[in-house]
Amino acid sequence: MTNLNEKQLITEIVGLARSQGLTVHSENAQLNETGMDFQVVFAKDDTGMPWVLRKPRRSDVVERASAEGITLAFLRANLTADVPDWRIHTPELIAYPMLKGTPAAGIDLEQKQYVWNMDHQPPSDDFVRTLADILAELHGTDQISAGQSGIEVIRPEDFRQMTADSMVDVKNKLGVSTTLWERWQKWIDDDAYWPGFSSLIHGDLHPPHILIDQNERVTGLLDWTEAKVADPAKDFVLYQTIFGEKETARLLEYYDQAGGRIWAKMQEHISEMQAAYPLEIAKLALQTQQEEHINMALEALGVTSD
């Protein structure tokens, strides 16, 4: 994107905020284009307070943002970690004061890789322990209250069935390699992997959504678009993809110590969920219908295009 386009986008998004009575300024504002759902501008108001301004990329994002707003209101009352406090929430714009802390990593769009703001080979003990504490607290929140507040609740048997249905849908619409399909079916059919309970999950837990302080302790979590009451293993899949099985075992150990609920085949279940991650990419591709996303999904599914 050219600087001129960036400038125009910043001006447009700042203008949306100002029309809602938020006096933020274009000078020194920064544009972040790394998110698939939102274009984001960081700008300061008259007092120098930094704000996060999120403009939805597509109409389907607006609907899910409504659910995210409900989730955040519940979390602010039930979670000790920092979460965004939306002051503006319209179909055109979401705005909230920037939280303290630094994302554990950013994303380099050109290189398609993380740019780390912490030691990550391996992560520090402070990082792992505080992340485990927050996940145990999040997963331990009362599901009935969460459901009553309007958060989507998916029972364990329904989550499993939905996963199986997604597999069939993706196979029919995009295809999937025989090896991957057979692995998925073995996992779906084996009761030993699957937990008999659901938990309130973040749903998209990767480094850009994890805020840390200068000691690499986790202070807050961003981007709750995918939050729901569902299978708790989902919050460990991206962690294992990035850091590997040994580091995930360390996180699970601290999670267990912090009161997180684990089961015998939890880590194996995380590994199988990781092998089914192409489903997530495929579902996004089918939703957006963008060629880049479709190609990414086909590659992940092991489908060779002629």
Side-chain angles (χ1 to χ4, degrees):
M1 182 181 281
T2 65
N3 284 339
L4 179 64
N5 283 348
E6 278 190 18
K7 205 170 180 182
Q8 287 171 340
L9 249 177
I10 288 170
T11 304
E12 180 197 342
I13 294 171
V14 164
L16 285 170
R18 292 180 78 91
S19 72
Q20 293 290 326
L22 177 61
T23 54
V24 284
H25 303 280
S26 301
E27 295 80 25
N28 302 318
Q30 291 177 299
L31 179 70
N32 184 311
E33 286 269 42
T34 59
M36 287 186 170
D37 291 339
F38 292 92
Q39 292 170 311
V40 178
V41 166
F42 305 112
K44 291 184 178 177
D45 66 15
D46 285 340
T47 68
M49 179 192 279
W51 286 75
V52 179
L53 314 175
R54 298 166 85 200
K55 180 177 181 283
R57 289 186 184 275
R58 305 176 307 280
S59 56
D60 67 272
V61 176
V62 175
E63 198 178 317
R64 286 186 290 126
S66 175
E68 185 180 2
I70 290 167
T71 302
L72 289 172
F74 177 80
L75 290 168
R76 281 198 303 278
N78 291 281
L79 193 68
T80 54
D82 292 339
V83 299
D85 178 11
W86 289 1
R87 306 285 177 85
I88 295 172
H89 178 202
T90 71
E92 295 77 36
L93 184 77
I94 291 163
Y96 60 88
M98 188 182 284
L99 300 181
K100 288 176 184 168
T102 308
I107 297 175
D108 184 323
L109 279 179
E110 285 182 13
Q111 301 290 326
K112 288 190 166 57
Q113 64 185 24
Y114 291 123
V115 179
W116 291 92
N117 297 315
M118 56 173 258
D119 290 332
H120 66 285
Q121 293 179 320
S124 69
D125 221 42
D126 279 342
F127 175 81
V128 182
R129 195 182 288 275
T130 50
L131 180 60
D133 288 347
I134 287 170
L135 285 175
E137 185 187 11
L138 173 65
H139 294 171
T141 51
D142 183 62
Q143 290 177 34
I144 294 170
S145 302
Q148 286 170 345
S149 77
I151 294 170
E152 182 184 5
V153 176
I154 304 172
R155 296 180 306 174
E157 60 272 26
D158 293 338
F159 185 86
R160 188 173 174 182
Q161 187 59 52
M162 286 162 69
T163 305
D165 292 345
S166 286
M167 289 171 177
V168 174
D169 188 50
V170 166
K171 185 186 183 188
N172 290 340
K173 289 175 180 169
L174 294 173
V176 56
S177 75
T178 307
T179 311
L180 202 51
W181 179 256
E182 287 173 356
R183 180 173 181 176
W184 288 355
Q185 297 315 298
K186 194 176 171 188
W187 171 51
I188 281 287
D189 292 339
D190 189 341
D191 292 346
Y193 287 111
W194 297 84
F197 60 92
S198 296
S199 304
L200 178 57
I201 62 169
H202 179 280
D204 189 17
L205 196 68
H206 73 136
H209 297 160
I210 301 171
L211 292 174
I212 55 171
D213 66 14
Q214 62 217 33
N215 298 311
E216 300 186 355
R217 289 188 295 246
V218 179
T219 58
L221 300 176
L222 301 173
D223 197 341
W224 292 82
T225 315
E226 302 298 323
K228 56 181 73 71
V229 174
D231 191 321
K234 197 166 192 295
D235 275 345
F236 297 89
V237 172
L238 290 171
Y239 192 94
Q240 181 156 297
T241 304
I242 297 160
F243 298 114
E245 290 183 4
K246 186 180 170 188
E247 282 305 315
T248 305
R250 178 159 72 116
L251 176 63
L252 287 172
E253 197 176 317
Y254 285 145
Y255 176 76
D256 185 25
Q257 289 170 14
R261 195 171 169 189
I262 61 172
W263 62 99
K265 277 206 163 185
M266 184 173 183
Q267 187 154 13
E268 290 89 337
H269 183 54
I270 292 164
S271 296
E272 293 310 308
M273 202 177 269
Q274 185 184 351
Y277 196 71
L279 283 176
E280 303 291 327
I281 301 168
K283 283 192 282 188
L284 175 77
L286 291 169
Q287 195 175 53
T288 65
Q289 290 297 319
Q290 287 182 20
E291 190 182 356
E292 184 191 359
H293 295 164
I294 297 278
N295 290 337
M296 207 159 65
L298 291 173
E299 187 183 344
L301 293 161
V303 179
T304 50
S305 48
D306 298 324

